[in-house]
Amino acid sequence: MLRFVLSILPAALVGAVLGTAGLVLAGGMGSGGTIQGMALWLAGDYVGMLLAVPLLAAWLDRERFVFRKRALVPALLATAATSVVFFLTDITREGHQVFAYAVFPLTVWCALWSSPGFAVITHATVAGLAIAGTAMGLGPYAVTASPTDVGLLQAFVVAVVCTSLLLKGAMEDRRRNLKLVHHQALHDQLTGLRNRRGMHSSLDEAMVQAGTDGDKVGLFAGSTVDVSGD
């Protein structure tokens, strides 16, 4: 996940350089604002890729998009908090920007309790609400509609999305490692067949299930036969 977050930077940088150069050559941008324009373009492309690529990946990999009821509460709270911060806060009140930080614990909570696809949908919804509110002239980053405010909004979106993606990626790595360790503990490393511990584990599970269903369990023990004639 960290490699993905970093790998899209070169693509965003190329787009920003080419786009800004085209505007300068066409006379749509003065040379004095080139650096600032390139920075905004870079941030915009990067935000777009951070949102679009994980959404596309989640859509294509349906197995990773599993709805879990326990993730619904943090997802709804994150959506509600974002709506309040970016649509109902008073932008004339000094220090109102700090309310935007209230969204982070909720998106982290959702990333911890949800499937990868559901976490992606949640942080994309949060980012979409933040962008929509700012575009309507509302929220913490719509005070003057200056390049600084636009940069702050983009930084907010990047922070939310990267936090969710990196945390979900770390959780998925931990889950895969635990699954691998569990498999190695119950299977022979050379043949991949169940070892003694794995056999006892399967037998215990069968006995418990048989006791629950009122069935019986049979165990057949065989031995190898030497047919070499020695």
Side-chain angles (χ1 to χ4, degrees):
M1 191 59 66
L2 180 59
R3 286 195 297 269
F4 160 72
V5 171
L6 296 177
S7 64
I8 62 176
L9 271 175
L13 181 59
V14 170
V17 171
L18 294 178
T20 306
L23 286 177
V24 172
L25 293 176
M29 177 184 296
S31 57
T34 302
I35 300 300
Q36 187 180 60
M38 188 180 301
L40 290 175
W41 196 307
L42 171 62
D45 283 356
Y46 188 65
V47 167
M49 292 179 187
L50 276 179
L51 292 174
V53 176
L55 278 174
L56 180 61
W59 175 258
L60 295 176
D61 190 359
R62 299 299 180 86
E63 294 183 358
R64 296 173 64 84
F65 186 75
V66 179
F67 175 72
R68 298 173 183 169
K69 291 183 179 180
R70 63 181 183 178
L72 186 59
V73 171
L76 292 177
L77 288 177
T79 302
T82 308
S83 300
V84 170
V85 170
F86 284 89
F87 290 91
L88 300 179
T89 54
D90 182 7
I91 63 175
T92 63
R93 180 181 177 184
E94 185 177 355
H96 63 278
Q97 295 92 342
V98 299
F99 293 113
Y101 293 104
V103 179
F104 284 87
L106 299 173
T107 54
V108 168
W109 184 12
C110 185
L112 289 174
W113 285 76
S114 66
S115 64
F118 198 76
V120 168
I121 294 295
T122 300
H123 73 232
T125 302
V126 168
L129 288 172
I131 294 172
T134 305
M136 295 170 61
L138 305 171
Y141 309 119
V143 180
T144 62
S146 66
T148 301
D149 294 326
V150 175
L152 289 174
L153 171 65
Q154 292 171 331
F156 170 82
V157 173
V158 169
V160 169
V161 175
C162 285
T163 298
S164 178
L165 289 177
L166 292 175
L167 182 58
K168 193 69 243 180
M171 294 296 294
E172 287 294 294
D173 286 342
R174 182 176 181 273
R175 182 186 62 81
R176 285 192 294 267
N177 290 336
L178 289 176
K179 185 177 180 180
L180 177 61
V181 170
H182 182 264
H183 182 274
Q184 291 176 342
L186 301 180
H187 294 77
D188 181 77
Q189 299 298 312
L190 180 61
T191 64
L193 300 175
R194 286 244 169 185
N195 56 21
R196 183 185 298 271
R197 179 181 296 177
M199 185 272 291
H200 284 295
S201 177
S202 298
L203 183 59
D204 290 341
E205 292 175 2
M207 292 176 65
V208 171
Q209 186 64 41
T212 302
D213 299 337
D215 296 330
K216 295 182 179 180
V217 175
L219 179 63
F220 175 78
S223 62
T224 58
V225 179
D226 186 2
V227 296
S228 63
D230 296 337

